[in-house]
Amino acid sequence: MPRLILGSTSPYRRELLTRLRIAFDVVAPEVDETPLAGEAPADLARRLALAKAHAVATQHPDAVVIGSDQVADLHGQPLGKPGDHARATAQLRAMRGQTVVFQTALSVVHAAQSFAQTALVPVQVRFRDLEDAEIEAYLQAEQPYDCAGSAKSEGLGIVLLDAITSDDPTALIGLPLIQTSRMLRAAGVKLL
């Protein structure tokens, strides 16, 4: 079986991939994540997932490489990782009472076999009409400054939400495992 590499520095993606109980390495992709002018959130997520997989596959052509990216889409506007408290507050205020689509893209590349697949797994998240005090209490408790959209649904962030709609429950955390499994099988990786 070919070597498997996760092309990501995300601890959330690493943790999710361990659920498949297969050996893998982690390599940080060197990819500029700056959105292109006028680039839609779904297109940005797809482009970055593929760029990350290709960047690592170029260094390790005999490996099957997974690249992934997620962009929160608020009415066509991309919301990235806030990075700090002030930006997280602004994001959560903008999202209160709104439905946000978390565009999670996945690419699997095996350069030696000329294999490349990319998929988009959108997740619709309806936020409650949050009060400023709730936003502040949440951010103080969880500090989700490294998460697109400033909320961790797998943690306390679930109390900010009214609904989550998706074909793959792990997509919202950052790596859609149903689609990942499908693509890894297509690339020749045995999962069971």
Side-chain angles (χ1 to χ4, degrees):
M1 194 166 74
R3 178 180 173 207
L4 180 62
I5 298 176
L6 175 62
S8 176
T9 57
S10 166
Y12 310 109
R13 290 189 182 103
R14 182 180 307 136
E15 183 180 327
L16 284 168
L17 191 55
T18 61
R19 292 185 189 181
L20 299 183
R21 297 182 183 192
I22 53 176
F24 66 93
D25 296 312
V26 176
V27 175
E30 299 298 326
V31 172
D32 179 4
E33 297 189 20
T34 306
L36 302 175
E39 189 172 30
D43 295 335
L44 173 60
R46 265 194 227 91
R47 178 176 63 82
L48 292 177
L50 186 58
K52 290 173 182 181
H54 275 302
V56 174
T58 299
Q59 301 168 23
H60 305 277
D62 291 329
V64 172
V65 179
I66 300 168
S68 186
D69 198 79
Q70 183 180 76
V71 179
D73 179 346
L74 178 61
H75 308 301
Q77 296 301 311
L79 300 175
K81 298 172 186 170
D84 63 34
H85 188 84
R87 278 181 266 199
T89 300
Q91 281 187 357
L92 289 172
R93 285 178 177 166
M95 294 185 301
R96 61 179 154 202
Q98 303 295 313
T99 296
V100 179
V101 180
F102 286 78
Q103 306 285 3
T104 305
L106 170 71
S107 289
V108 173
V109 172
H110 189 185
Q113 299 296 321
S114 300
F115 178 90
Q117 286 187 357
T118 300
L120 185 71
V121 182
V123 180
Q124 291 188 347
V125 177
R126 192 171 66 241
F127 280 80
R128 290 180 31 254
D129 191 9
L130 303 167
E131 297 175 11
D132 286 346
E134 291 177 299
I135 291 171
E136 183 62 24
Y138 170 68
L139 292 176
Q140 290 296 326
E142 199 150 67
Q143 302 179 2
Y145 308 136
D146 63 343
C147 296
S150 304
K152 294 181 183 180
S153 65
E154 69 275 24
L156 182 59
I158 199 73
V159 303
L160 306 177
L161 310 179
D162 270 336
I164 299 172
T165 306
S166 177
D167 291 337
D168 190 331
T170 57
L172 185 55
I173 303 170
L175 186 64
L177 289 180
I178 294 171
Q179 186 65 41
T180 300
S181 298
R182 185 177 298 131
M183 292 167 73
L184 288 177
R185 285 191 300 271
V189 176
K190 295 197 184 319
L191 298 176
L192 291 174

